Amino acid sequence: MLSVGGSQPIEPSGIARYGVKGMIRYIRYMGIDVAALLREVTLRLQPHSHELAERLVTLVSEAVPTVSANEDLADLALLSVEQHVDTMLGMIEHGRDTADVEAPPAAIEFATRLAEYGGDISELLRSYRLGHVAALGLFREEVARSTTEPEVPSAVLGSLVELSFAYVDRTSGQAVAAYQEARDRLLQKRLLAVNEAGRRIGTSLDITRTAQELAEVGVDNLADFVAVDLLDAALFAEEPPLDADMVTLRRIAHHSVLEGCPEAVVPTGHTHSYPYGSGPAEAVTTGRPARYRTAADGLPSWIADSAPHRRSVEAFGIHDVLMTPLWARGVPLGIAQFFRHRDATPFDGNDLLLAQEIASRAAVHIDSARRYTHQRTTALALQQNLLPSVVTAHSAVDTAVRYLPSGGRSGVGGDWYDVIPLSGARVALVVGDVVGRGLYASATMGRLRTAVRTLADVDLMPDELLTHLDDVVIRSQHEEGRLPDEISATCLYAVYDPVTRVCSLASAGHVLPAWVPPAVDGDRAGIREARFVEAPTGPPLGFGGLPFETVQFEVPEGSILALFTDGLIEGAGRDPAGGLAKLRELLGRPGPSLDAVCDGIVEGMVPARPTDDVALLLARTRALDADHVTTLELPSDPSLISRARSFATDRLTAWNLDELAFSTELIVSELVTNAIRYGRQPVTLRLILQSTLICEVADGANTSPHLRRARIFDEGGRGLFLVAQLSNSWGTRYTREGKVIWAEQTLPGPPP
């Protein structure tokens, strides 16, 4: 039993008893022509086809949510039903066969638009079923008004059922094919957009650039204007406070089809707030996307309450807004808002899904970028705190340094440099490079730099220092359970002596330095030829088992020593040999200062975003002339200690340092006495006037004196105690020939 709206039930009892053909034969026996009656009813219904279509659409819209929720689809549904009714009435009137019937154009368009608006195919088929049943009910009502015979309506309906089912099967099949074709096109377009987003978004580990890429992809594929806002807390890798009364966002990027983004109310870099419970705040805090039609539903409260937002919506005719939260790894980061004003088509479910796909991909890249930025900032801060902020001025060399962290994805490395004052007016120049990137590399760099400074205080030869430093790295490997390639480093340690003008160096897997001799009269435009030191390079630190070797060479006063890490000579599109050639060229160019030479090298060799850290240390050598150094050879005879004291006081008088005569006499007396008594020939006394007064006594023995506390009745053991009390610092260093005991005193006035 079938019924439509308020119509009476259709009783199929006659059909059930006699069958359709039996009923038709019976009605013909009664003298009634079913086909003629059906055509007559059709002719009466044709003038009222629009009203019939409206009744059918009303019934269908109530049962199909997508049609009832979308104004454009509702209008198209009415036109589609009108064309269906006209086609069906015309087919009955002229007795046409359903095999030649094509679905009306509006029906095909309705199926296509339903797919584009995100409607399900079951809704399309349900609309055909409901429309079919409703149309049969309307026909029955009209037939019932045309005859008084009780069996006629059932017989006519039975004749119509076979015809209408064939029509519905054919036209619905064509509509489903159109729906599927549109759906495939939509999915393909969505897939292309998602692929494009994957290709264009996340090309760097920069938050601002990633957000701008999201905005540009959104405008190219979905919207007329896109704004990307992030929580301040998310930018600094903190958990954002989501229980506040206001949600504060920072505009990171926006993009528009209009030049200059005139729709933007908030400039990039500025913050703005939304009240808790508003659309944007809800999207950020809950992670649920939202869609708003500002034209049909009226302005949302957060737009209506903001005069700048309201003016922008009205001025540009913004009619639809999509809000997609930016969440990654369960943490809210911000929101992406998509607006339409030039494109009159409203956003639909598919647009919302596409926006979610693009935003979710971008959120992962933004989260990775912020984590990388946070780690890089921390590592860079750690490294900058571990590196010397200011290189201490030294009378042996003038220095200029540059450190440039890498700008690539690999993160901050472990490059370091150092300038370490040594005894005897000497200075140590150090550069190194730790394997790896990030916080661990920076921390390892700090440990190695501290170890180098500690070992430098012992005044070891460069090869011996690197051997001890190698042991430090190997011990760290064992303690942390790491492999050699996980904790390893290269290091170059060089010592310059301004008295002898000799540079001693050793390398542990590090690139060898370059040096430039001073300019001499007749040089063309002051251009000099840079040279690279030729020396054996030992293995990197942490591999052990192989020796290091110290090389010594004389460096004229005024020469420039260039120590650097491999990031300076290696890079994209350049091999190390080409980098060395470029460095040779730039080092040879004259400059008004050492800093100018340093800047010229950096500008000529380091790109804007280097792929590796770069450390560069330039040192211009100085020399101490004979007026600042005096030496006395002493035979192994205690009676000559007075001669050593006289020699020292005479030199202090010549240097106008009579104020230091008493303390210097005592220091010389004690050091020379120890060397003659406990050391071996030759014994040499040397005084050096630099920024301090340095007294050195060298002998051929390797035994080291020790400071001890003498007891009350001891006759000796107080010599080094006196030396320690009278000097600022003292110590022992070992040479190939023996040892040197030294003591430094502060000058009473400015250094000469």
Side-chain angles (χ1 to χ4, degrees):
M1 184 170 66
L2 304 174
S3 64
V4 178
S7 61
Q8 295 296 321
I10 301 174
E11 297 287 349
S13 56
I15 298 175
R17 184 179 302 121
Y18 303 111
V20 174
K21 294 182 179 179
M23 286 297 300
I24 293 175
R25 287 196 297 271
Y26 171 75
I27 292 173
R28 287 176 178 171
Y29 174 76
M30 297 292 295
I32 300 174
D33 188 347
V34 175
L37 180 59
L38 192 56
R39 282 194 296 272
E40 179 185 343
V41 172
T42 299
L43 292 174
R44 285 203 305 269
L45 290 176
Q46 280 180 340
H48 307 287
S49 61
H50 182 72
E51 292 82 355
L52 294 176
E54 287 183 340
R55 290 180 61 183
L56 296 177
V57 168
T58 300
L59 296 172
V60 171
S61 298
E62 292 175 355
V64 181
T66 305
V67 176
S68 59
N70 194 299
E71 182 179 345
D72 294 339
L73 272 182
D75 294 340
L76 193 56
L78 177 60
L79 180 60
S80 173
V81 172
E82 285 181 354
Q83 292 183 2
H84 271 302
V85 170
D86 290 340
T87 302
M88 187 68 180
L89 293 177
M91 188 178 65
I92 296 174
E93 178 186 0
H94 299 96
R96 290 163 48 197
D97 189 5
T98 56
D100 300 329
V101 173
E102 297 290 337
I108 300 299
E109 179 67 17
F110 174 78
T112 301
R113 297 297 294 275
L114 183 67
E116 293 174 352
Y117 281 117
D120 194 82
I121 193 170
S122 61
E123 293 183 293
L124 177 64
L125 296 176
R126 182 174 175 79
S127 67
Y128 271 88
R129 290 197 301 271
L130 291 175
H132 184 205
V133 172
L136 290 177
L138 295 175
F139 264 93
R140 181 199 173 279
E141 293 176 3
E142 192 62 31
V143 171
R145 286 193 290 268
S146 303
T147 180
T148 57
E149 295 294 333
E151 301 291 342
V152 170
S154 296
V156 173
L157 185 62
S159 178
L160 183 62
V161 163
E162 185 176 357
L163 181 65
S164 61
F165 265 109
Y167 175 82
V168 169
D169 285 346
R170 181 170 178 80
T171 56
S172 64
Q174 295 170 350
V176 167
Y179 173 93
Q180 194 61 49
E181 184 179 352
R183 186 72 175 174
D184 291 343
R185 287 198 305 269
L186 192 65
L187 291 176
Q188 185 178 16
K189 178 182 177 182
R190 178 177 164 188
L191 180 61
L192 291 175
V194 171
N195 288 339
E196 182 181 1
R199 179 177 55 84
R200 294 173 55 184
I201 298 176
T203 59
S204 69
L205 286 172
D206 182 85
I207 295 176
T208 302
R209 185 173 177 182
T210 302
Q212 186 63 40
E213 290 166 349
L214 166 60
E216 292 173 358
V217 169
V219 169
D220 291 344
N221 294 276
L222 192 62
D224 297 321
F225 173 65
V226 177
V228 181
D229 302 323
L230 297 182
L231 294 162
D232 267 349
L235 293 174
F236 299 104
E238 301 172 358
E239 290 296 327
L242 299 180
D243 55 350
D245 294 334
M246 302 289 287
V247 175
T248 301
L249 299 166
R250 185 175 297 275
R251 177 63 49 84
I252 303 300
H254 50 226
H255 192 63
S256 172
V257 294
L258 304 177
E259 186 176 355
C261 297
E263 311 97 322
V265 175
V266 181
T268 55
H270 290 232
T271 60
H272 57 116
S273 300
Y274 293 105
Y276 193 81
S278 63
E282 283 291 308
V284 173
T285 56
T286 65
R288 291 192 297 267
R291 181 175 54 183
Y292 299 92
R293 295 208 65 189
T294 58
D297 303 334
L299 292 178
S301 59
W302 74 88
I303 295 179
D305 296 341
S306 172
H309 285 87
R310 188 173 62 252
R311 285 195 298 269
S312 178
V313 169
E314 294 171 352
F316 295 97
I318 296 174
H319 57 82
D320 273 79
V321 183
L322 281 182
M323 293 187 176
T324 55
L326 298 173
W327 277 54
R329 301 177 178 92
V331 177
L333 305 178
I335 186 174
Q337 301 183 63
F338 300 80
F339 302 85
R340 275 185 181 172
H341 53 78
R342 176 174 289 184
D343 185 352
T345 306
F347 287 123
D348 55 31
N350 285 299
D351 293 329
L352 185 59
L353 290 175
L354 178 58
Q356 283 182 274
E357 284 279 352
I358 296 175
S360 63
R361 285 175 176 263
V364 173
H365 289 295
I366 290 174
D367 184 58
S368 299
R370 77 185 183 96
R371 289 171 182 265
Y372 164 78
T373 301
H374 178 67
Q375 184 184 29
R376 173 181 168 81
T377 302
T378 305
L380 190 57
L382 174 63
Q383 187 176 46
Q384 289 175 342
N385 285 327
L386 292 174
L387 288 174
S389 56
V390 177
V391 178
T392 305
H394 200 280
S395 57
V397 291
D398 294 324
T399 58
V401 296
R402 296 293 184 271
Y403 173 77
L404 291 88
S406 70
R409 295 171 178 246
S410 53
V412 177
D415 293 18
W416 90 91
Y417 61 88
D418 211 344
V419 179
I420 307 172
L422 301 177
S423 63
R426 298 167 307 133
V427 63
L429 307 173
V430 190
V431 289
D433 186 359
V434 175
V435 173
R437 295 286 184 270
L439 287 172
Y440 186 79
S442 296
T444 303
M445 177 272 291
R447 296 203 305 266
L448 293 183
R449 177 172 176 262
T450 302
V452 170
R453 279 191 160 261
T454 302
L455 293 170
D457 284 341
V458 185
D459 257 333
L460 298 173
M461 292 292 290
D463 58 328
E464 296 176 359
L465 183 141
L466 292 181
T467 300
H468 286 285
L469 190 62
D470 188 42
D471 293 337
V472 171
V473 176
I474 293 175
R475 188 160 51 249
S476 297
Q477 293 171 356
H478 292 324
E479 291 173 353
E480 300 181 22
R482 294 177 178 266
L483 298 174
D485 57 350
E486 294 178 303
I487 300 182
S488 181
T490 64
C491 182
L492 177 73
Y493 185 81
V495 176
Y496 173 68
D497 188 343
V499 177
T500 62
R501 297 188 299 278
V502 170
C503 180
S504 306
L505 64 84
S507 171
H510 200 87
V511 59
L512 293 171
W515 70 281
V516 184
V520 295
D521 295 339
D523 279 356
R524 181 174 55 86
I527 296 177
R528 295 160 291 172
E529 182 182 358
R531 309 169 188 176
F532 289 97
V533 176
E534 295 182 1
T537 301
L541 301 172
F543 288 86
L546 295 174
F548 302 101
E549 185 174 343
T550 296
V551 173
Q552 295 183 331
F553 58 98
E554 187 173 345
V555 182
E557 182 181 5
S559 300
I560 296 177
L561 290 169
L563 287 71
F564 50 90
T565 56
D566 56 4
L568 181 68
I569 59 174
E570 297 178 2
R574 184 175 61 197
D575 60 354
L580 291 174
K582 184 67 173 178
L583 177 61
R584 184 199 302 269
E585 175 190 348
L586 294 175
L587 270 175
R589 295 179 182 177
S593 65
L594 202 59
D595 277 305
V597 176
C598 210
D599 289 335
I601 294 173
V602 170
E603 292 173 5
M605 299 191 65
V606 182
R609 295 177 63 86
T611 58
D612 192 8
D613 290 17
V614 174
L616 173 64
L617 169 61
L618 298 186
R620 178 179 282 119
T621 61
R622 294 178 179 177
L624 291 177
D625 55 28
D627 292 337
H628 290 77
V629 181
T630 184
T631 304
L632 175 64
E633 299 285 343
L634 291 169
S636 182
D637 184 355
S639 63
L640 297 178
I641 295 176
S642 59
R643 178 184 171 189
R645 289 197 297 267
S646 300
F647 174 80
T649 54
D650 291 344
R651 178 50 59 182
L652 293 182
T653 300
W655 287 340
N656 295 320
L657 295 176
D658 293 327
E659 295 180 38
L660 298 178
F662 176 74
S663 59
T664 304
E665 276 191 87
L666 286 177
I667 292 173
V668 168
S669 178
E670 294 300 332
L671 295 183
V672 171
T673 299
N674 278 339
I676 293 176
R677 180 176 298 176
Y678 303 110
R680 292 200 304 264
Q681 287 290 338
V683 176
T684 304
L685 169 64
R686 186 169 71 168
L687 298 178
I688 301 173
L689 177 60
Q690 196 197 28
S691 56
T692 60
L693 177 62
I694 303 171
C695 177
E696 294 183 344
V697 176
D699 68 84
N702 291 320
T703 56
S704 176
H706 296 284
L707 180 66
R708 68 182 180 90
R709 183 179 296 278
R711 290 172 295 183
I712 295 176
F713 298 105
D714 288 347
E715 296 182 1
R718 296 177 179 83
L720 288 181
F721 179 77
L722 290 174
V723 172
Q725 295 300 312
L726 294 173
S727 61
N728 290 335
S729 59
W730 73 279
T732 304
R733 71 174 181 269
Y734 295 91
T735 65
R736 304 295 188 195
E737 296 79 20
K739 68 177 182 294
V740 177
I741 305 176
W742 56 270
E744 287 189 7
Q745 299 178 79
T746 303
L747 300 180

